[in-house]
Amino acid sequence: MKIAVLGTGGVGATIGSKLVELGHQVKMGSRSATHEKGLAWTKAAGPNASLGTFEDAASFGELAFNCTSGLGSVSALEAAVAGLSGKVVIDVANPLDFSKGFPPTLFTGNTDSLGEQAQRALPNSKVVKALNHVTASLMTDAKRVAGGDHDALICGNDAGAKAEVTKILKEWFGWQSVIDLGDIGQARGTESYLALWVRLYGALGTADFNLKIMR
Amino acid sequence: MKIAVLGTGGVGATIGSKLVELGHQVKMGSRSATHEKGLAWTKAAGPNASLGTFEDAASFGELAFNCTSGLGSVSALEAAVAGLSGKVVIDVANPLDFSKGFPPTLFTGNTDSLGEQAQRALPNSKVVKALNHVTASLMTDAKRVAGGDHDALICGNDAGAKAEVTKILKEWFGWQSVIDLGDIGQARGTESYLALWVRLYGALGTADFNLKIMR
């Protein structure tokens, strides 16, 4: 499958590399088609990895991951809007503001969310919020924590897109449990959880954890 | 032990009744010493239950639970400040604003929290944020979900007070795991989690759940 990975940071590189490993063709999207970190990633990831602008990657992919930093997400998606039309966009970004150090604050939440902003920026795409509540290495390898015995939380407006993302999480990334919270507005919940995540990270001394909802 | 329970709502009644069951003397605090719901609770809970003003209850208790609704917490605690001096105050309240319906928004968070506001209102007390991330019936009976196999999250500035609260959670309320997140500022995390809690509640169709941090 041809897949766009928007963003050249650690999350984009981790997801992009996993997708290449799984046999997919991945084009990483960046503000610049000659972005240094992006080029370094393509070199490391091999012949099925390439780099382009956000627009290039969006047009290339049959599916896209939004792995841009939260503060840059909306402008990146606006640049990619034409290429992403009609496609499923898995939004793993978080509205984190590190400008005052650690722990970061959230620059949106409570009455809006980055997931909703992404869906508004891409009115003809099917945005599914997913995986934003775990560290990058766990996103694509759920089994690295507790043998995979924990929950993925997703939300989005399109039932078919959520079914597709659930399949991807289970079949490609080893997730065993995917909880659908409802429409994209529920991203307010999964993004606000980051305020707890960063504190659990501080208290536990590791990013290798996730929540399991015990009933 | 003599214990103050501030607040006459469902959370105060549930915690107060459990404490009476455990053999403690409980004075519920309210804006009025003749509050109707408070009087009904004392009648149901028996001779070890009584009702008074916030000040009465605070002076009576060797320990206090803040079970007031979030919007009324600071004024209730300000009324009780003298009586609570030097004491441990277990703050289970949440900054929920239901004025626009369900799901509620949070009226503070991100750069402040209700736990911090409580500690500022009670500068001579030892505020420990605890139990705010579960439904009332689960606060005092952790085993009713998954046999107790899930985590309590606490935070506060005083290590001794947190040790006492951890003992209370384990010995009185059946909690098996208590994670200390750090100082009272970490309440920003456990309160922000409510934005996810209300959505899990909606998706799962039950309030009988809690998170377990899988590592």
Side-chain angles (χ1 to χ4, degrees), chain B residues 3-17 19 26-33 35-42 50-58 64-70 72-77 79-80 84 89-93 136:
Chain B
I3 305 174
V5 170
L6 308 180
T8 55
V11 177
T14 301
I15 290 181
S17 296
L19 296 171
V26 177
K27 192 180 281 292
M28 189 176 262
S30 172
R31 271 165 298 174
S32 149
H35 187 279
E36 200 176 330
K37 275 169 73 185
L39 287 174
W41 174 78
T42 60
S50 60
L51 181 69
T53 62
F54 289 127
E55 300 92 311
D56 294 338
F65 284 82
N66 175 32
C67 308
T68 55
S69 74
S73 281
V74 169
S75 66
L77 296 175
L84 294 176
V89 178
I90 304 178
D91 176 28
V92 310

Side-chain angles (χ1 to χ4, degrees), chain A residues 5-197:
Chain A
V5 170
L6 307 180
T8 55
V11 177
T14 301
I15 291 181
S17 296
K18 177 70 175 189
L19 295 171
V20 169
E21 267 176 50
L22 290 168
H24 302 289
Q25 290 174 268
V26 178
K27 191 179 284 290
M28 187 176 264
S30 171
R31 271 165 300 174
S32 147
T34 57
H35 187 279
E36 201 175 331
K37 276 169 73 186
L39 287 174
W41 173 78
T42 61
K43 207 168 165 181
N48 279 330
S50 59
L51 180 69
T53 62
F54 290 127
E55 299 93 311
D56 293 338
S59 301
F60 173 87
E62 302 160 71
L63 166 76
F65 284 82
N66 174 31
C67 309
T68 55
S69 74
L71 285 162
S73 281
V74 170
S75 66
L77 296 176
E78 284 172 347
V81 63
L84 294 177
S85 183
K87 298 175 184 172
V88 173
V89 178
I90 303 178
D91 176 27
V92 309
N94 275 308
L96 296 176
D97 177 356
F98 287 92
S99 64
K100 283 169 190 147
F102 191 90
T105 56
L106 275 73
F107 64 77
T108 185
N110 210 17
T111 57
D112 195 11
S113 63
L114 193 56
E116 288 162 279
Q117 290 179 17
Q119 183 61 78
R120 289 197 299 269
L122 302 172
N124 299 317
S125 303
K126 297 159 191 166
V127 175
V128 178
K129 191 90 204 179
L131 299 175
N132 68 299
H133 56 91
V134 294
T135 196
S137 54
L138 193 50
M139 290 180 180
T140 58
D141 183 13
K143 291 190 172 62
R144 74 182 265 131
V145 162
D149 184 25
H150 46 88
D151 297 311
L153 304 173
I154 69 167
C155 61
N157 295 342
D158 189 279
K162 288 193 284 191
E164 189 177 330
V165 172
T166 298
K167 204 169 172 227
I168 287 170
L169 266 53
K170 291 188 172 182
E171 295 183 4
W172 297 3
F173 299 160
W175 288 83
Q176 293 163 19
S177 163
V178 179
I179 298 176
D180 178 2
L181 292 175
D183 67 24
I184 193 67
Q186 312 313 316
R188 296 177 195 182
T190 58
E191 294 175 12
S192 291
Y193 164 74
L194 264 285
L196 178 57
W197 189 93

